[in-house]
Amino acid sequence: MLITDEQRATMLANGHSYATNLAFDPHPVVKLFDPLGGGTWLLTDLDPADEDIAGGICDLGMGFPEIGTGRLSELQDVVKIAGRWGVGIERDKFFVATKPLSEYAELARTHRRIVLK
């Protein structure tokens, strides 16, 4: 399971807040990562109209992190890719955001990767 029920509820609430306030700047709710590669995702919200679409920062480990959206189902399906030995995207169970998404985004632009300091 990529996100817990509690995280899903928080991310949906954040998605509703975005719908009425585009300046909304929440803390990331969950950190996902690829244990076999350089991918990291800090996710803040779910689209209330399509709960499979998550928003946040994506860093595929190529030096170009970006704010955007992606499908949780696609991240869940990474385990099905040949050569992955059954290993998929994982949730960092110990991640606790200390700043809003905009600050993580600024650090990511400066360092060309997600920085969690």
Side-chain angles (χ1 to χ4, degrees):
M1 171 170 38
L2 287 181
I3 61 174
T4 66
D5 291 340
E6 181 180 336
Q7 289 167 331
R8 178 174 293 280
T10 300
M11 291 171 72
L12 274 172
N14 287 348
H16 285 288
S17 293
Y18 269 131
T20 58
N21 178 6
L22 293 177
F24 182 59
D25 190 18
H27 283 58
V29 176
V30 64
K31 174 190 170 197
L32 304 177
F33 66 97
D34 182 352
L36 297 180
T40 304
W41 296 261
L42 297 182
L43 303 178
T44 58
D45 62 280
L46 291 173
D47 184 334
D50 183 347
E51 294 182 20
D52 189 38
I53 298 176
I57 301 174
C58 172
D59 178 2
L60 296 179
M62 294 186 258
F64 302 101
E66 61 182 29
I67 292 178
T69 59
R71 292 202 170 271
L72 289 176
S73 59
E74 290 179 2
L75 293 174
Q76 187 74 41
D77 285 347
V78 165
V79 72
K80 297 176 185 174
I81 297 172
R84 298 229 12 132
W85 306 291
V87 176
I89 304 302
E90 296 184 13
R91 174 174 30 95
D92 181 342
K93 296 176 184 176
F94 303 101
F95 173 73
V96 177
T98 58
K99 54 185 129 284
L101 185 66
S102 63
E103 291 184 35
Y104 285 108
E106 184 58 36
L107 283 169
R109 279 189 288 274
T110 301
H111 296 277
R112 299 185 66 173
R113 62 182 175 83
I114 291 177
V115 177
L116 300 177
K117 60 179 172 174

